[in-house]
Amino acid sequence: MTATVEQETVIAPLPEPPRSVRWEPWALGALLVGTGVAYIWGLGASGWANSFYAAAVQAGSVSWKAFFFGSSDAANSITVDKPPMSLWLMSLSVRIFGLNSWAMLVPQALLGVGSVALLWGTVRRYFGAAAGLLAGLVLALTPVAALMFRFNNPDAMLVLIMIAAVWAMMRAVQDGRTRWLVLVGVFCGFGFLTKQLQVMLVVPPLALTYLIAGPPKLGKRVLQLFAALGGMIVSAGWWLAIVELWPADSRPWIGGSQNNSILELTFGYNGLGRLSGNETGSVGGGGMRAAGDAAAAAGGATGFGDAGAAMAPGGGGGMWGTTGITRLFESAQGGQIAWLIPAALILLVAGIVVRGKAPRVDTQRGSFIVWGLWLLVTGLTFSFMAGIFHAYYTVALAPAIAALIGSGSVLLWRHRETLWVRIVLAVSLAATVAMAWVLLGRTPSFVPWLRWTILVVGIVAAVAMLIPAITRGRLAVAVILAALFTGLAGPTAYAIDTINTPHTGSIVSAGPSIQGGMGGPGGGRGGFGGMGDGGTRAIGGAGGAAGAMGTPPAGMGQIPGAGATPGAANTPGAATDGARDGMGGSVGGLLQGSTPGAAVVEKLEENSDQFTWVAAAIGSNSASGYQLATESPVMAIGGFNGSDPSPTLEQFQQYVADGKIHFFIGGGGMGGGMNAEGTATAISAWVTENFTATTVDGVTLYDLTV
């Protein structure tokens, strides 16, 4: 009899799927509608957001070839440095509704709503309505999620696809059917077509979960995983095969590669190079290294200060910040994602212990395994990768954290009569309070009362968790509400600030500005290495307006804000400040798109239908603003970093001889990169030696037809 009672109170499985409760449809509706309103609210203020991808969206909306390849321009000179799947939905929307920020960004917001809904359904199926709703709410309110589901980077699509892969895997764990494993592979293949090898971080967790918890015998489970591998190869391989087999002279150059190969891009710049730091063509060397050395040597005279040293690899902990187990909790990343990581890890261990005596095929334990491995594998990879790393990458951790919080807290609450369970709940709350205290302490002027309120409410809730009488009856509702406030107040405040703040540029971050957040590109609020604070700080955190920074080091392009009018429009209704979101100004630069004035646009539009490209500029971001303003192809010489050998000098000279390019735009991108053989410098030198420069609205133009 005692054993029977223990089984019922500790390891009895929930009905699958759990029965619906009367309040669930209303709560789910409020969650999804609220998420949609929050993510769509004020989207137009971000303008083109990341103009690097916005230009590719524009190109894909007018050219099916550009759509298929993910070209930066409709004339198909070069692709973006990712596969195109994340661009397809936005390009179709722009093709239907016209080129504007709403048509481009609303689909991203809807991907966010879909991600919340799918996470709700996945968690609810095995842990009930409350767990599913809590998981969805945590995901929706995660600051970096509120950022990336309102932005046009590939991460929004990737998050939805990875959640879908876990959903299919858990269905496979539930009934053991091969079709679910194949579907898992298909989703992973789609993830590859979105952001290449990043999706592989969830593949080991998925495979191990099925090996541990799948219903069939071990041999069949292994064979089924091979079926999943086949699904992944087919769903991603068709596009890879077409790109590789397509004659190179009739398709765009593969951006980010040095040899015009999608396989090189996959395993190099976007693959193993991200782990080792050896990313040929990246800003880890070449132009950025020289720029960093020049800036460090110039010191205060240029206004770059310590930023110059940080730009060079090895300075101040490395180009992309220090690596190590605490990386996700540092200033640049902490406010994005770290609020609930300690609690999620605690609940992961406790959830597995609670289900410890369950059968091997237990779906609840399988759920903890897959989400827990997702969090651990991805989190550790982000912590120790030596290559390009940005704070917004951490959105890939949000679904796992949210699922563990939802399922773990609800499961443990159901067993709160057990002392050790109450202790675990109290410890997880205390860890959440400590994390919020640290993170909010980094922004002391941001809602200053919130830090103390969370401390008081959290301590009271943690103590209450230890007292059985308080966790029963009506008092239990007060404890639950206090725990929810403790865990969600900080992320919610950061998410609201993120929603109310326009974000533009290649490197963005969520939440309020953080002093001392510089740790390489990605630190601070929406800018390069912590530059930001509304343009009131110079690079490296020194005071002073952007316009007073002085002359940029050679190869850096234009100083943020230099030569541009503060608040100049990036697109109708979108204010931009070069010092806030990266290296930009009117001609653009490495991290910020160009913001051409009316006179420049009018000049570029002269006889535009007579040219394949109305202009050429070094670097994709420099080219992007001109293309978005004119809605005509602008050649991005050298791709994102300006370091790709596309086009060669001979090709460019032939284009000019054939009358295919009207103008060359001076300034802009860097044209250098780690171990790269870019041609941007040679092309720029040839143009300046053979053509006459004219200045329009502070932009240097070379007419290549005279």
Side-chain angles (χ1 to χ4, degrees):
M1 183 67 180
T2 303
T4 303
V5 171
E6 180 181 356
Q7 185 179 24
E8 289 178 352
T9 57
V10 177
I11 63 173
L14 294 173
E16 297 180 346
R19 292 174 295 177
S20 179
V21 291
R22 286 180 298 176
W23 50 263
E24 185 181 16
W26 297 100
L28 176 62
L31 173 62
L32 298 183
V33 171
T35 301
V37 170
Y39 285 0
I40 294 174
W41 186 270
L43 269 181
S46 291
W48 302 127
N50 189 340
S51 62
F52 172 63
Y53 291 115
V57 169
Q58 183 275 329
S61 71
V62 297
S63 165
W64 288 113
K65 186 175 182 179
F67 177 91
F68 177 81
F69 286 106
S71 300
S72 290
D73 63 273
N76 293 288
S77 63
I78 194 169
T79 70
V80 296
D81 56 6
K82 301 290 187 298
M85 190 167 183
S86 67
L87 304 172
W88 288 344
L89 183 61
M90 291 184 283
S91 293
L92 290 174
S93 177
V94 170
R95 186 177 283 266
I96 295 170
F97 298 107
L99 180 63
N100 59 79
S101 59
W102 288 93
M104 180 177 59
L105 295 178
V106 167
Q108 299 293 91
L110 295 179
L111 290 176
V113 177
S115 297
V116 170
L118 187 56
L119 185 65
W120 159 80
T122 304
V123 174
R124 177 199 180 278
R125 186 174 188 88
Y126 309 104
F127 293 93
L133 289 167
L134 179 56
L137 182 62
V138 171
L139 175 59
L141 294 176
T142 301
V144 71
L147 171 67
M148 298 315 294
F149 287 125
R150 293 166 50 85
F151 209 66
N152 53 352
N153 277 26
D155 303 78
M157 177 71 76
L158 181 66
V159 167
L160 176 63
I161 289 172
M162 291 192 299
I163 296 173
V166 172
W167 167 80
M169 176 54 72
M170 288 309 302
R171 296 301 302 269
V173 169
Q174 187 174 2
D175 63 24
R177 295 181 181 179
T178 302
R179 66 185 185 186
W180 294 117
L181 275 301
V182 174
L183 189 58
V184 171
V186 169
F187 284 130
C188 290
F190 289 164
F192 180 92
L193 293 183
T194 300
K195 210 175 179 187
Q196 292 187 302
L197 292 188
Q198 184 173 333
V199 75
M200 299 303 291
L201 294 178
V202 300
V203 170
L206 291 167
L208 284 172
T209 298
Y210 195 71
L211 284 175
I212 294 170
K217 293 182 178 180
L218 179 60
K220 184 176 181 180
R221 296 201 301 273
V222 172
L223 291 176
Q224 287 176 314
L225 288 175
F226 275 105
L229 177 62
M232 181 170 64
I233 292 173
V234 171
S235 62
W238 68 273
W239 185 84
L240 285 174
I242 292 175
V243 173
E244 281 294 296
L245 296 174
W246 197 296
D249 59 358
S250 68
R251 63 160 169 79
W253 182 277
I254 303 302
S257 74
Q258 293 293 299
N259 298 306
N260 200 12
S261 168
I262 187 64
L263 295 180
E264 177 203 341
L265 177 66
T266 299
F267 295 106
Y269 182 77
N270 283 337
L272 299 179
R274 297 289 171 121
L275 301 179
S276 67
N278 184 22
E279 300 160 296
T280 300
S282 80
V283 296
M288 181 63 86
R289 184 188 299 271
D293 292 342
T302 62
F304 276 73
D306 294 336
M311 290 172 189
M319 179 65 194
W320 307 106
T322 55
T323 59
I325 197 68
T326 61
R327 187 184 213 178
L328 297 179
F329 303 93
E330 293 174 353
S331 296
Q333 289 76 238
Q336 318 288 302
I337 194 65
W339 304 87
L340 294 170
I341 289 180
L345 293 173
I346 293 170
L347 293 173
L348 165 64
V349 175
I352 292 176
V353 171
V354 167
R355 304 302 300 169
K357 295 182 181 180
R360 178 182 63 80
V361 295
D362 179 58
T363 54
Q364 289 189 338
R365 185 171 57 204
S367 180
F368 280 116
I369 291 172
V370 71
W371 294 117
L373 288 175
W374 174 341
L375 175 59
L376 291 171
V377 171
T378 304
L380 289 172
T381 301
F382 286 169
S383 296
F384 290 97
M385 59 188 285
I388 295 174
F389 177 77
H390 302 311
Y392 65 77
Y393 288 0
T394 58
V395 71
L397 299 170
I401 294 170
L404 290 171
I405 293 296
S407 56
S409 58
V410 170
L411 178 64
L412 264 64
W413 179 258
R414 289 177 181 144
H415 298 291
R416 62 191 181 278
E417 294 299 324
T418 304
L419 175 60
W420 77 264
V421 171
R422 293 199 305 276
I423 293 174
V424 169
L425 287 171
V427 170
S428 65
L429 265 180
T432 302
V433 170
M435 197 74 256
W437 179 264
V438 171
L439 296 178
L440 289 172
R442 294 171 179 169
T443 54
S445 62
F446 176 74
V447 197
W449 56 267
L450 185 60
R451 188 185 189 206
W452 290 97
T453 305
I454 292 175
L455 178 65
V456 173
V457 174
I459 291 175
V460 171
V463 172
M465 285 287 184
L466 298 173
I467 305 173
I470 297 180
T471 58
R472 302 189 190 107
R474 294 181 179 179
L475 288 177
V477 176
V479 175
I480 292 172
L481 292 176
L484 287 174
F485 176 84
T486 301
L488 297 180
T492 300
Y494 267 51
I496 291 173
D497 179 85
T498 301
I499 290 167
N500 288 328
T501 303
H503 291 84
T504 61
S506 297
I507 302 177
V508 290
S509 57
S513 300
I514 297 176
Q515 296 293 336
M518 183 167 181
R525 181 194 184 94
F528 183 92
M531 304 171 223
D533 284 2
T536 60
R537 283 191 295 145
I539 299 177
M549 288 182 179
T551 304
M556 285 293 288
Q558 193 156 336
I559 294 287
T565 302
N570 190 359
T571 193
T576 182
D577 186 334
R580 176 188 170 93
D581 280 316
M583 297 186 171
S586 58
V587 299
L590 174 65
L591 302 177
Q592 186 74 19
S594 49
T595 55
V600 175
V601 174
E602 182 180 359
K603 190 71 173 176
L604 296 181
E605 289 178 337
E606 290 179 1
N607 304 315
S608 60
D609 57 345
Q610 299 179 16
F611 301 93
T612 304
W613 294 277
V614 297
I618 297 176
S620 297
N621 270 318
S622 297
S624 63
Y626 300 104
Q627 179 173 305
L628 292 164
T630 62
E631 299 190 38
S632 297
V634 176
M635 178 185 289
I637 298 172
F640 182 84
N641 297 316
S643 59
D644 299 345
S646 170
T648 64
L649 175 59
E650 292 74 17
Q651 288 173 327
F652 187 83
Q653 290 171 334
Q654 189 61 53
Y655 290 144
V656 173
D658 294 340
K660 292 185 176 182
I661 308 174
H662 194 177
F663 293 101
F664 178 86
I665 302 170
M670 292 168 51
M674 181 186 294
N675 301 320
E677 297 181 1
T679 55
T681 301
I683 291 172
S684 180
W686 178 76
V687 169
T688 57
E689 290 172 3
N690 292 276
F691 296 90
T692 302
T694 59
T695 302
V696 180
D697 264 1
V699 176
T700 302
L701 298 178
Y702 296 84
D703 190 335
L704 303 181
T705 64
V706 296

